[in-house]
């Protein structure tokens, strides 16, 4: 079943639609909390690269932080809010970078420090890779 998608991807009307759709799709077990527009394109690109044997599709790790809001501030339309959005000026930009570093550097450091251990095995998988 396809969802009736609103014309815009931001603002209180989109939030209301997304919240209802998530509740419906998850039988009231899920809650809409953030969008994931970039992840879709990134993962599709990595899937294409994996199909071309350029990356290992089993070794993809997504670290997602939130740098801006998808709902406009009070007293502003969705269009006005979108017009103020500029890369590096998002309201949560610096906290999102800090969060990504706080989590990401631990993972990267572990992989780099112990690469011989992970070269043929996943960190949580005791089985050798093919």
């Amino acid at each position: 079943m396809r969802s009736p998608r609103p014309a815009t991807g931001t603002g209180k009307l989109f939030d209301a639609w997304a919240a209802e759709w998530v509740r419906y799709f998850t039988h009231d077990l899920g809650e809409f909390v953030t969008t994931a527009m970039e992840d879709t394109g990134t993962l599709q690109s990595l899937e294409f690269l994996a199909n071309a044997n350029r990356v290992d599709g089993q070794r993809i790790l997504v670290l997602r932080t939130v740098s801006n809001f998808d709902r406009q501030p009070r007293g502003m339309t969705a269009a006005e809010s979108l017009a103020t959005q500029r890369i590096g000026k998002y309201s949560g930009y610096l906290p999102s970078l800090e969060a990504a570093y706080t989590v990401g550097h631990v993972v990267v450091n572990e992989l780099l420090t112990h690469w011989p251990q992970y070269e043929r095995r996943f960190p949580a998988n005791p089985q050798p890779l093919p």
Side-chain angles (χ1 to χ4, degrees):
M1 175 194 305
R2 292 190 54 138
S3 66
R5 188 161 192 260
T8 181
T10 193
K12 65 182 177 183
L13 296 177
F14 180 75
D15 266 14
W17 168 84
E20 289 301 315
W21 181 247
V22 169
R23 281 191 206 97
Y24 170 77
F25 189 71
T26 64
H27 305 287
D28 287 323
L29 297 175
E31 183 177 342
F32 171 74
V33 294
T34 188
T35 62
M37 301 172 293
E38 300 86 2
D39 296 346
T40 304
T42 301
L43 290 173
Q44 185 174 27
S45 297
L46 289 170
E47 180 182 0
F48 292 155
L49 289 169
N51 290 341
N53 295 317
R54 303 297 291 171
V55 300
D56 183 348
Q58 302 250 336
R59 290 182 173 263
I60 296 172
L61 175 67
V62 176
L63 173 59
R64 176 86 166 125
T65 62
V66 178
S67 62
N68 60 320
F69 297 98
D70 62 327
R71 182 178 288 188
Q72 72 270 25
R74 286 186 183 99
M76 188 180 279
T77 68
E80 290 167 339
S81 180
L82 278 174
T84 67
Q85 300 291 319
R86 299 288 180 265
I87 294 175
K89 303 274 186 204
Y90 298 136
S91 53
Y93 182 69
L94 293 178
S96 74
L97 291 178
E98 183 177 340
Y101 175 78
T102 299
V103 174
H105 92 279
V106 174
V107 175
V108 171
N109 187 56
E110 174 67 18
L111 291 173
L112 291 176
T113 302
H114 301 105
W115 182 245
Q117 175 183 334
Y118 299 127
E119 183 176 12
R120 305 265 323 134
R121 301 176 192 273
F122 291 126
N125 188 347
Q127 302 301 318
L129 296 172

